[in-house]
Amino acid sequence: MNTKDEFRNLMRYIVLVVIIGFFSFFIMKEVFSTTITHKADWDNKADSVLMKRKILYPTRGDILACDGSVLATNITYYTVRVDYRSQRFMEERYKMALDSLSDSMATYFGKTKEYWKEYLKKPLEKPKEKRSRCYKIVGNISYTEYQKLRTFPFFNIPNRNKCGLVLDSKMRRRNPYGEMALRSIGLVGEDKKGEIHGVWGLERDLDSLLYGKPGVARIVPVNRNTLNWTDTPAVDGYTIKTTIDINMQDIVENELNKVLADTKADWGVAILMDVATGDIRAISNLEMDPQGNGYIEGMNRAILGFEPGSVMKPISMLIALDKGWVKNPNDIIVSGNRYKYANGPAISDCSPVASMPIWEIIERSSNVAMTKLMMPHIDSAAMFKHYLKEIGFLDPMNLHIAGERIPRIRDVGNSNWDFIDVSRMTYGYTTQIPPIYTLSIYNAIANGGRYVRPRFVTNLIGNGVDSIIPVSYMKDRICSEKNAEILKEMLTRVVWGEHGTARRVLRNDVVKIAGKTGTCYATYEKLKQDKETGQLITKDIYGRDIPQGTPGHYDKDRKRLSFCGFFPVENPQYSCFVMIFHPKNGVGAAASSGVVLKEIALKMYSRGMLGNESDYRAEKNAPSRPILYATQSSSKHSNLKEGLSMGKIARLPDVTKTSGVPSVKGLGLREAIVALETAGYNVDFDGMGYVVAQTPVAGDIAPQGSCVKLKLTEF
């Protein structure tokens, strides 16, 4: 090697050393800057990352029926996406599978094969570097449906990096039985913090128990990585068991719905209670759908105050018996046609008589006789209020249903009109009493005078606890057993007596019913002003005209019709209150609300719920267990099958013929079954949730009694 080559090699080494030295200098400079000069800044940044806290949200507790059936639960829903830029995405295989994949998607998720083919190949039209990394395929599906999707061509590749599948999940609150008792069970919503809390009903009132307690996690360094370290674990919410009986709830809702539809009423409420325990076995609040699609679950009027009408008279009679104002129920009281009390408007009766024994006041529902019996002993509203308070009638029930109100007995002064108002209180006007309170007194009468507290929740389950909320009493006794028997006989005569206001409608030879009819006019409300325009609001939130008249005055065109009672009379097991508002066919309380109670009693008897052996005399083709309009078990939903305790479906009698199969697509299963069976068809289905397809399709002509097959998607 000559001198020139040696010099050239030497220069190369020098240049290389200079370059290495240059980079080493900058590296050392950055190391010095990081570790010495700016050490505090980097330490602060590390601390800020490591000190970050992550909220661990708890799992919300379930709400159960009395037999453990799930009324509200958490279901995980999934959104399936495809990463078309996945490192090992098998594009050629994807193109080859497009035809069969589109066919599978159309079969299981709806729409056409052509739609899916166009939709699935659209991302391939872009250059690979511009394709979506999260192209949505299908959303809001259950894990069962996701498992099904994983059997489709191409998506069945085990390695998700090769098929590009990306799965997002989100927990949602669902009610497996649709709108069943929904206003009492309640719903949840997301607040500004992203937390899920109850917005009404049981979900709201017991939100702190159902929600649980959030936990906290932080980031901690481990070797060269970090991980989430749980400082405080989340505590899941309690599962709450209610007193609702699914089978009884179904009977109550169906019977209330039938009468509302027949009378074209605005709304109705029905409550069914166990006499001995006070357990609320069913509670239904239905109102006319503003869209014209029958009746839907509406405002929970069971806990709101209304003027009760004549169903208040037995409560007044109870006070009269308890205070000794009635020595002998056979004593005669002079009533007459009209009675002008305190120079007010004359009090009158629908069927006036000159006189009657005291025990006939309830049977005949005499306003005049009730006023003459009570008012000589009451000199103010405060006194009447005191008597009601003595029996526990004004105490909070603590049902755990948000919005619950206590009876409102207006405090009045000593003017002439105030005394007139007090007289009206004795037979059901100028007061605001929630239906559940009226029912509780009738239940106490049926229970021999023991005033059991209505109960909606029986157990709190979770976190190693299974606590029982025991039966309790508003008052141990509101009257003697003797007076309870007297009142029970008076209420029995309303149906079975010669002059009873319900004698023509509610008598039957299967279940003997006792109770009281009540009629009360609605009052005109004061119209409110729109805050922005200042104009009076003359339509409700549904766009319907608000009846206009003098605020506080009665609207004689709109009535609230009630019936409150218990059955069977010989050994009362259940008490029931029904109220229907503004029926359009001119029926009275017995022929509307009373019929609902009667049909509830008959259906319960036919299904063996009154301590008798079921004979199903009121129904055809009855199965060996009570009918449940919800869903039947399915292998696809084995994870929920056991907890939901669901049974099979049978036809209802007296169906209405139709010229074609009605459309039930998009309806919940329970609503779909009612619609199809009402039209005269049997129902076959598998799974639970909402209807996505039906065979025969809507409009097809099919013979009465034939079977309609439903395809369902989970919730």
Side-chain angles (χ1 to χ4, degrees):
M1 178 180 298
N2 56 35
T3 305
K4 191 179 289 186
D5 291 334
E6 290 177 353
F7 179 77
R8 191 181 296 116
N9 289 335
L10 179 61
M11 291 303 296
R12 288 173 181 167
Y13 285 125
I14 293 173
V15 170
L16 183 60
V17 169
V18 170
I19 292 173
I20 292 174
F22 180 79
F23 280 106
S24 298
F25 171 77
F26 277 100
I27 291 172
M28 293 303 295
K29 180 184 177 184
E30 289 300 317
V31 169
F32 184 84
S33 175
T34 302
T35 59
I36 305 297
T37 308
H38 298 290
K39 179 180 183 300
D41 295 335
W42 284 106
D43 285 345
N44 291 335
K45 187 171 184 179
D47 289 341
S48 67
V49 172
L50 296 176
M51 289 177 65
K52 282 185 177 178
R53 295 294 185 265
K54 179 182 179 182
I55 297 176
L56 302 177
Y57 293 107
T59 299
R60 192 173 182 85
D62 293 340
I63 297 177
L64 309 178
C66 63
D67 63 351
S69 301
V70 178
L71 299 176
T73 189
N74 307 295
I75 301 294
T76 302
Y77 287 88
Y78 299 89
T79 297
V80 179
R81 307 177 189 274
V82 170
D83 179 3
Y84 286 94
R85 283 192 276 166
S86 178
Q87 187 177 5
R88 301 176 64 187
F89 184 73
M90 304 174 72
E91 183 175 335
E92 293 305 317
R93 184 169 173 179
Y94 178 74
K95 291 177 179 178
M96 293 173 61
L98 268 178
D99 195 65
S100 54
L101 176 59
S102 300
D103 186 61
S104 297
M105 293 295 294
T107 301
Y108 200 78
F109 293 107
K111 299 183 179 178
T112 64
K113 176 181 177 180
E114 291 72 22
Y115 167 84
W116 281 110
K117 191 170 184 178
E118 181 67 25
Y119 184 77
L120 293 171
K121 74 177 183 180
K122 187 175 181 180
L124 301 180
E125 297 172 357
K126 297 180 180 179
K128 186 171 183 178
E129 64 275 7
K130 293 185 179 180
R131 292 174 187 171
S132 174
R133 304 213 66 162
C134 55
Y135 190 73
K136 183 179 177 180
I137 301 300
V138 64
N140 201 34
I141 65 173
S142 67
Y143 185 70
T144 303
E145 291 171 314
Y146 169 68
Q147 288 179 313
K148 182 69 176 178
L149 181 140
R150 287 287 276 155
T151 66
F152 294 172
F154 188 75
F155 289 158
N156 59 6
I157 299 174
N159 189 334
R160 289 200 297 179
N161 196 31
K162 293 182 179 180
C163 62
L165 283 183
V166 179
L167 192 64
D168 295 333
S169 64
K170 186 172 184 179
M171 191 79 75
R172 293 187 180 179
R173 193 73 164 170
R174 284 295 178 264
N175 302 80
Y177 290 94
E179 293 192 348
M180 179 178 282
L182 188 61
R183 283 288 170 172
S184 298
I185 296 167
L187 287 178
V188 299
E190 188 172 322
D191 64 12
K192 295 179 180 179
K193 297 179 181 179
E195 297 179 354
I196 302 300
H197 292 284
V199 293
W200 74 60
L202 194 64
E203 294 272 23
R204 178 179 173 182
D205 199 67
L206 295 181
D207 183 70
S208 60
L209 292 172
L210 287 162
Y211 181 71
K213 295 181 180 179
V216 177
R218 58 189 172 89
I219 300 173
V220 297
V222 179
N223 295 329
R224 285 183 272 177
N225 295 316
T226 61
L227 57 78
N228 288 328
W229 180 270
T230 300
D231 280 339
T232 305
V235 178
D236 292 340
Y238 286 96
T239 288
I240 292 174
K241 182 181 283 189
T242 70
T243 58
I244 293 294
D245 183 295
I246 293 297
N247 296 286
M248 295 181 189
Q249 178 72 34
D250 191 71
I251 291 172
V252 169
E253 286 192 13
N254 278 319
E255 298 310 320
L256 179 61
N257 187 80
K258 286 178 185 177
V259 173
L260 289 176
D262 289 343
T263 61
K264 297 180 175 57
D266 285 4
W267 54 260
V269 55
I271 317 166
L272 181 69
M273 185 187 298
D274 186 293
V275 168
T277 64
D279 288 348
I280 299 172
R281 294 304 184 192
I283 182 168
S284 180
N285 294 275
L286 300 179
E287 63 184 36
M288 188 178 291
D289 185 350
Q291 305 301 322
N293 299 318
Y295 290 84
I296 59 176
E297 186 75 10
M299 182 185 296
N300 195 347
R301 295 179 172 90
I303 57 173
L304 301 181
F306 300 95
E307 284 184 308
S310 292
V311 291
M312 183 68 185
K313 288 173 183 170
I315 301 176
S316 296
M317 184 64 74
L318 184 149
I319 293 172
L321 287 167
D322 186 58
K323 296 300 178 184
W325 304 340
V326 176
K327 303 296 183 183
N328 186 345
N330 292 308
D331 289 345
I332 302 299
I333 188 167
V334 177
S335 53
N337 294 339
R338 297 164 71 83
Y339 177 50
K340 201 172 180 63
Y341 177 76
N343 294 320
I347 299 170
S348 61
D349 290 331
C350 293
S351 301
V353 293
S355 63
M356 66 185 78
I358 290 175
W359 53 259
E360 269 190 18
I361 295 176
I362 303 299
E363 179 181 344
R364 291 179 179 273
S365 195
S366 172
N367 297 336
V368 173
M370 180 56 70
T371 304
K372 287 188 172 183
L373 175 67
M374 297 293 291
M375 290 313 295
H377 309 282
I378 299 174
D379 59 16
S380 68
M383 180 180 288
F384 187 63
K385 191 173 182 177
H386 173 72
Y387 292 146
L388 292 174
K389 192 171 184 178
E390 278 187 332
I391 62 174
F393 190 60
L394 304 183
D395 295 344
M397 288 185 172
N398 299 318
L399 291 172
H400 307 298
I401 301 176
E404 174 190 342
R405 300 177 186 175
I406 63 173
R408 180 173 174 266
I409 310 299
R410 190 167 66 88
D411 290 321
V412 295
N414 296 315
S415 71
N416 186 62
W417 277 104
D418 292 330
F419 282 114
I420 293 171
D421 280 349
V422 175
S423 69
R424 268 58 172 176
M425 291 179 185
T426 63
Y427 59 86
Y429 281 81
T430 66
T431 57
Q432 297 287 319
I433 299 176
I436 188 66
Y437 275 84
T438 302
L439 176 60
S440 70
I441 293 293
Y442 281 68
N443 193 83
I445 294 169
N447 200 26
R450 298 204 70 192
Y451 192 6
V452 65
R453 184 185 301 275
R455 185 172 64 160
F456 195 58
V457 175
T458 60
N459 295 73
L460 294 178
I461 306 166
N463 306 316
V465 174
D466 188 352
S467 63
I468 298 174
I469 299 174
V471 174
S472 60
Y473 294 84
M474 305 284 284
K475 288 284 184 180
D476 182 63
R477 185 170 292 282
I478 60 172
C479 64
S480 66
E481 288 190 32
K482 178 182 177 181
N483 286 341
E485 285 300 318
I486 292 172
L487 287 164
K488 192 185 299 183
E489 178 62 25
M490 289 180 178
L491 291 169
T492 302
R493 288 176 176 274
V494 172
V495 179
W496 297 93
E498 182 181 352
H499 310 292
T501 56
R503 67 188 185 280
R504 294 188 179 91
V505 182
L506 302 187
R507 290 181 183 178
N508 69 88
D509 60 357
V510 179
V511 183
K512 194 172 183 179
I513 297 168
K516 181 70 186 78
T517 54
T519 302
C520 192
Y521 294 114
T523 54
Y524 290 108
E525 302 295 332
K526 183 177 180 180
L527 296 180
K528 298 179 180 179
Q529 287 185 320
D530 185 281
K531 293 182 179 179
E532 295 183 0
T533 65
Q535 300 295 317
L536 289 177
I537 301 173
T538 59
K539 293 184 181 294
D540 62 19
I541 59 174
Y542 300 122
R544 298 177 298 208
D545 290 330
I546 299 174
Q548 296 186 41
T550 305
H553 284 60
Y554 290 107
D555 178 358
K556 297 297 181 71
D557 293 328
R558 299 185 302 150
K559 297 178 181 178
R560 284 189 300 274
L561 305 177
S562 304
F563 189 88
C564 191
F566 44 84
F567 57 88
V569 170
E570 302 84 358
N571 178 29
Q573 297 178 46
Y574 294 95
S575 58
C576 186
F577 181 99
V578 183
M579 179 187 288
I580 289 176
F581 179 65
H582 194 26
K584 309 302 190 299
N585 59 356
V587 297
S592 54
S593 297
V595 167
V596 175
L597 188 147
K598 173 185 173 183
E599 291 303 316
I600 290 171
L602 291 176
K603 289 294 189 302
M604 290 178 66
Y605 180 87
S606 72
R607 300 182 190 183
M609 297 177 180
L610 299 181
N612 60 301
E613 290 188 7
S614 171
D615 61 7
Y616 285 87
R617 68 179 63 188
E619 297 172 292
K620 303 174 184 178
N621 304 323
S624 59
R625 59 173 289 185
I627 296 174
L628 177 60
Y629 303 100
T631 185
Q632 62 184 5
S633 59
S634 163
S635 59
K636 288 202 305 179
H637 305 283
S638 58
N639 58 324
L640 287 177
K641 176 179 67 175
E642 193 171 283
L644 294 176
S645 304
M646 295 177 172
K648 294 185 178 180
I649 305 303
R651 275 187 60 191
L652 286 170
D654 305 321
V655 294
T656 305
K657 293 186 176 180
T658 181
S659 58
V661 179
S663 173
V664 294
K665 189 173 181 181
L667 295 181
L669 177 58
R670 191 167 179 275
E671 290 77 16
I673 290 169
V674 172
L676 289 169
E677 289 180 339
T678 301
Y681 298 99
N682 284 320
V683 182
D684 185 22
F685 60 91
D686 185 32
M688 61 190 73
Y690 295 93
V691 179
V692 295
Q694 65 181 82
T695 306
V697 298
D700 279 3
I701 303 300
Q704 298 291 306
S706 61
C707 184
V708 177
K709 174 73 175 179
L710 301 181
K711 180 181 177 182
L712 304 164
T713 181
E714 187 175 308
F715 305 125

